[in-house]
Amino acid sequence: MILMVALVWMLLLGGTVPLALLWKSASTRASRILLGAMTCSYLWCLVGIIFPLAIGPHYSDLRLGIINVNLWLSLAMAGAGLRVLHPKMLAIAVALWLPAAWIYIRTVSFVA
């Protein structure tokens, strides 16, 4: 069980590496704004895992709404990131990791 929890945390925190590396190569204003939004969403996701009330009360419409909005925004930002961010391999990694983290939260939020 502990191994599974450690694996989930490694997968969730693994997205911070390509995100941080993209910050080093952000040269345009658009890329910095996009990375800022992606970073805020990702950090909110991680904080929501540690402190679940950060994304709304358990089993509430507010929680589901926040998760869904962040999921759709992360998908939109991922698409924009694939066009704006360089290097492309890091952009692809973040474009997959951010929505996957929100999908994970959406999945586990309503499991008793």
Side-chain angles (χ1 to χ4, degrees):
M1 183 65 175
I2 293 174
L3 181 62
M4 181 61 85
V5 171
L7 178 64
V8 167
W9 273 107
M10 281 184 4
L11 288 172
L12 287 170
L13 292 174
T16 58
V17 174
L19 196 56
L21 292 173
L22 278 172
W23 271 106
K24 290 183 180 183
S25 64
S27 57
T28 65
R29 184 175 187 201
S31 65
R32 288 191 297 272
I33 290 171
L34 181 60
L35 279 172
M38 292 174 102
T39 301
C40 288
S41 179
Y42 197 74
L43 290 176
W44 194 2
C45 178
L46 295 177
V47 168
I49 293 169
I50 299 167
F51 304 107
L53 288 178
I55 52 176
H58 293 289
Y59 306 106
S60 69
D61 290 336
L62 174 64
R63 182 180 186 88
L64 184 59
I66 288 172
I67 292 169
N68 284 336
V69 166
N70 271 287
L71 176 58
W72 286 109
L73 284 176
S74 69
L75 289 169
M77 289 186 292
L82 292 175
R83 297 184 61 106
V84 173
L85 301 174
H86 300 283
K88 288 297 180 195
M89 290 307 292
L90 292 175
I92 290 170
V94 171
L96 293 173
W97 234 299
L98 180 59
W102 282 108
I103 288 170
Y104 171 78
I105 287 209
R106 189 173 195 277
T107 303
V108 300
S109 283
F110 295 98
V111 176

